[in-house]
Amino acid sequence: QGYRGARELASSELTSLERSVSELEATLKATMRDVQQAEAKFAALNRQRIALEANEAAANQLILETKQKTERLKKQNQALKATIEPAAKNAFKKQGEAAEAR
């Protein structure tokens, strides 16, 4: 009877261990799925980060080009003013002189 009791106990322990192993395998599979999903999300976020960095670089380039164009336009505007203002003053002066002569 001692042998039989020990055998039943061992069988019960074995069944319990098999159940535990089965539960651990299920947990491992679920964890591996979670890891795969996390890796996929990380890869997607990394792609988004790379795209954002490229957009930022393009935006910075546009800002630089806009500043350069603005500076060129300011210089052109100053050159035009330097040309037009004296001519306009001269024209008004001549107009005034012509009006006085009449």
Side-chain angles (χ1 to χ4, degrees):
Q1 192 173 4
Y3 170 76
R4 190 172 186 198
R7 187 172 170 186
E8 287 175 3
L9 183 61
S11 177
S12 172
E13 295 269 333
L14 182 59
T15 302
S16 177
L17 284 173
E18 287 172 342
R19 197 174 316 119
S20 292
V21 166
S22 199
E23 289 170 1
L24 286 171
E25 286 174 340
T27 301
L28 179 60
K29 284 180 185 177
T31 301
M32 289 173 71
R33 269 193 312 273
D34 291 346
V35 166
Q36 287 175 337
Q37 289 174 353
E39 286 174 340
K41 286 178 183 176
F42 178 78
L45 287 171
N46 206 33
R47 286 190 298 275
Q48 288 177 344
R49 179 188 56 80
I50 291 167
L52 285 171
E53 287 173 355
N55 286 343
E56 181 183 18
N60 287 337
Q61 182 62 34
L62 283 174
I63 290 168
L64 179 63
E65 290 172 8
T66 302
K67 285 180 179 178
Q68 291 170 342
K69 286 178 183 177
T70 300
E71 284 305 310
R72 274 198 308 274
L73 289 172
K74 282 181 182 178
K75 287 177 183 175
Q76 288 175 353
N77 191 31
Q78 288 171 347
L80 284 172
K81 278 184 180 179
T83 303
I84 292 171
E85 285 179 357
K89 285 180 184 175
N90 194 27
F92 283 126
K93 185 179 176 186
K94 286 183 180 181
Q95 211 175 26
E97 289 171 357
E100 284 179 22
R102 284 188 234 145

